[in-house]
Amino acid sequence: QSVLTQPPSASGTPGQRVTISCSGSNSNIGSNTVTWYQQLPGTAPKLLIYSNDQRPSGVPARFSASLSGTSASLAISGLQPEDEADYYCASRDDSLNGDVLFGGGTKLTVL
Amino acid sequence: QVTLQQSGPGLVKPSQTLSLTCAISGDSVSSTSVAWNWIRQSPSRGLEWLGRTYYRSKWYNDYGVSVKSRMTINPDTSKNQFSLQLNSVTPEDTALYYCVRERPLGGAFDPWGQGTLVTVSA
């Protein structure tokens, strides 16, 4: 069981807005930055969000993220069929000697 | 554009050593602004960070607590690559292994190698 907790699944219809949560603690999200990754079927994860809420160049603006205390959220607005993928949050954990932790992942289905 | 090309065997016997190499194009293993990581993924353990190597006037290594006693990451400046060695493997080490660059942007992992499926079996 991951220390960063994500819902195992989420779903939405095209055009909708969906959010994915990532719950941690003071030793990880509460004191370190959060990154988000998108993993399309059969491919390696891809950086989606860094430094809590920053989008790398090339990532559409409909992907956004926020942080509140020891929880983080990824929001996808204007959902598109190609957004169907697994999404992972990650953060370092000070109680584990700075190890990087990943959430268990959320499988997003576009209905 | 930075690309990472992984190589190494896909099958390792229990108790033996798992060895993988990651060749870097478009960046330098000796760069003082990034770090070079190994991450694995399996159905039972999900995504698991294994460790990293980086250069800041001298070489540093960090290893995940779950593999620290069995893990070695070595940079090879002559070939601009880095390697992973995991000793005394068990079937629990069966996973998809990725090499990944860590950017100086909140520890963001980008890009990722193509992944190597390693099966531990007799």
Side-chain angles (χ1 to χ4, degrees):
Chain A
Q1 187 174 355
S2 300
V3 178
L4 300 183
T5 302
Q6 298 182 236
S9 63
S11 63
T13 57
Q16 267 190 331
R17 182 177 188 271
V18 298
T19 60
I20 296 171
S21 61
C22 175
S23 178
S25 65
N26 287 328
S27 63
N28 42 67
I29 294 177
S31 50
N32 294 284
T33 59
V34 177
T35 53
W36 288 91
Y37 300 89
Q38 177 194 58
Q39 186 173 31
L40 297 169
T43 69
K46 168 193 165 187
L47 178 65
L48 202 59
I49 297 286
Y50 67 92
S51 294
N52 301 326
D53 58 6
Q54 302 298 300
R55 278 179 292 106
S57 60
V59 173
R62 53 198 186 77
F63 290 93
S64 63
S66 62
L67 189 68
S68 179
T70 58
S71 292
S73 291
L74 174 71
I76 309 171
S77 58
L79 196 62
Q80 299 185 3
E82 58 263 34
D83 297 333
E84 187 161 292
D86 293 324
Y87 292 85
Y88 297 90
C89 60
S91 181
R92 291 198 178 274
D93 193 298
D94 295 339
S95 71
L96 295 174
N97 204 32
D99 279 15
V100 176
L101 296 180
F102 289 91
T106 298
K107 181 173 182 55
L108 175 64
T109 301
V110 181
L111 302 170
Chain B
Q1 180 188 356
V2 178
T3 59
L4 304 176
Q5 182 66 40
Q6 300 177 217
S7 60
L11 181 63
V12 182
K13 289 182 168 50
S15 79
Q16 294 193 341
T17 298
L18 183 163
S19 297
L20 296 173
T21 300
C22 182
I24 303 163
S25 296
D27 203 339
S28 170
V29 71
S30 303
S31 169
T32 56
S33 61
V34 301
W36 303 98
N37 293 251
W38 289 97
I39 294 169
R40 68 183 179 184
Q41 184 174 29
S42 65
S44 59
R45 301 169 76 97
L47 284 165
E48 182 181 13
W49 178 77
L50 299 177
R52 63 180 179 176
T53 189
Y54 57 98
Y55 184 74
R56 304 287 188 269
S57 301
K58 70 174 185 177
W59 288 101
Y60 294 88
N61 289 311
D62 297 319
Y63 300 117
V65 293
S66 64
V67 294
K68 190 169 187 175
S69 62
R70 302 190 289 133
M71 179 100 170
T72 304
I73 298 177
N74 285 317
D76 183 340
T77 57
S78 66
K79 296 181 179 179
N80 200 32
Q81 63 187 30
F82 62 108
S83 63
L84 157 72
Q85 284 193 314
L86 185 63
N87 302 324
S88 305
V89 297
T90 72
E92 282 278 298
D93 295 309
T94 294
L96 189 54
Y97 286 76
Y98 293 102
C99 60
V100 193
R101 184 183 68 165
E102 180 182 350
R103 299 167 69 186
L105 299 170
F109 293 125
D110 175 60
W112 296 57
Q114 82 275 24
T116 301
L117 178 60
V118 178
T119 302
V120 179
S121 174

